[in-house]
Amino acid sequence: MISRIRTFLMLAVASALVVLPASTQAQSTWDLTFGAGIANPVSDLNDSWGIGANVNVAGTYWFQDRLGFRLETSVDVLSGDNFDSTLDLPDLNLWHFGGGLEYSVTDRASDALSVIVNGGGGLTWMDGDATKIATTTGNLNQSTSFSEVYGHLNGGLSVGWPLSDNITIAVNGSVYVAFADKTDTATIAQGISPFDSAVTFPVGLTLRLHL
């Protein structure tokens, strides 16, 4: 899964760089952002899943100098815990699809450091393989795989440095809060730590292309 996502990300960035105009105004109308980093589960989610990987893609239309409309998709792949060799929780994939507003704290036409904040909401698809449970005979049985969709809220902060008129590299931090159902999540958590909210804190690097 991660290798395929990484390949897609590299191809998408390469394609965008090929079609990018040789010269653009610093005050771009469209921004296309690609990012990757680590996904940190917090709160109840941290009880049964460890740190994983995050990949995200977003597009922003700046309808004012500092205010834009943002569409994004992001995936957190969290590593499931292994409890005493009798219970092996699967990796949990959290696919986030949503939109919202993006605000540039600094002047986007400036060549200096840029600071951008965003916030919004959307849907989160939680997807996990079957949980492996050891029986008294030592064999592993598998429960039903997990697949549910919930609403979420999200926010983020990006601090960037311009590499050229067309490209900015940035450090990005985000938070996603998906509102789950304990009855549903008890299936994948096997009753150990069912959760009614899934909170992740992805941190990583982003490449912002000004189109």
Side-chain angles (χ1 to χ4, degrees):
M1 173 70 74
I2 290 297
S3 61
R4 283 182 291 181
I5 293 175
R6 187 185 300 114
T7 301
F8 166 77
L9 181 64
M10 293 175 63
L11 290 175
V13 171
S15 300
L17 289 174
V18 169
V19 302
L20 199 65
S23 177
T24 64
Q25 295 180 349
Q27 194 83 330
S28 59
T29 303
W30 294 89
D31 281 358
L32 188 60
T33 305
F34 302 91
I38 60 174
N40 303 281
V42 297
S43 189
D44 294 340
L45 204 60
N46 189 41
D47 293 338
S48 300
W49 283 273
I51 292 175
N54 170 268
V55 175
N56 58 83
V57 179
T60 303
Y61 169 66
W62 296 97
F63 57 88
Q64 292 186 7
D65 287 347
R66 295 197 179 190
L67 193 61
F69 177 70
R70 172 186 173 94
L71 289 175
E72 68 169 1
T73 180
S74 175
V75 59
D76 299 319
V77 181
L78 306 179
S79 176
D81 288 341
N82 189 314
F83 294 91
D84 300 326
S85 300
T86 61
L87 176 61
D88 186 10
L89 295 182
D91 291 346
L92 181 62
N93 306 320
L94 281 69
W95 294 87
H96 308 293
F97 305 93
L101 295 177
E102 195 162 46
Y103 177 75
S104 181
V105 178
T106 55
D107 183 3
R108 291 195 304 116
S110 172
D111 293 332
L113 188 76
S114 63
V115 179
I116 297 176
V117 295
N118 68 77
L123 296 176
T124 293
W125 170 38
M126 297 186 190
D127 174 47
D129 294 331
T131 302
K132 297 179 181 179
I133 308 171
T135 65
T136 54
T137 61
N139 297 321
L140 287 178
N141 288 339
Q142 292 190 342
S143 67
T144 305
S145 58
F146 181 79
S147 180
E148 297 288 345
V149 177
Y150 305 103
H152 79 254
L153 295 175
N154 69 279
L157 170 67
S158 177
V159 179
W161 297 264
L163 298 180
S164 70
D165 287 344
N166 300 340
I167 303 174
T168 297
I169 189 169
V171 175
N172 185 76
S174 301
V175 60
Y176 292 89
V177 182
F179 304 99
D181 186 318
K182 275 192 174 182
T183 304
D184 296 337
T185 60
T187 302
I188 192 169
Q190 289 301 311
I192 296 174
S193 54
F195 51 89
D196 55 13
S197 63
V199 184
T200 55
F201 180 58
V203 178
L205 292 176
T206 61
L207 191 67
R208 182 180 290 263
L209 308 180
H210 312 296
L211 306 178

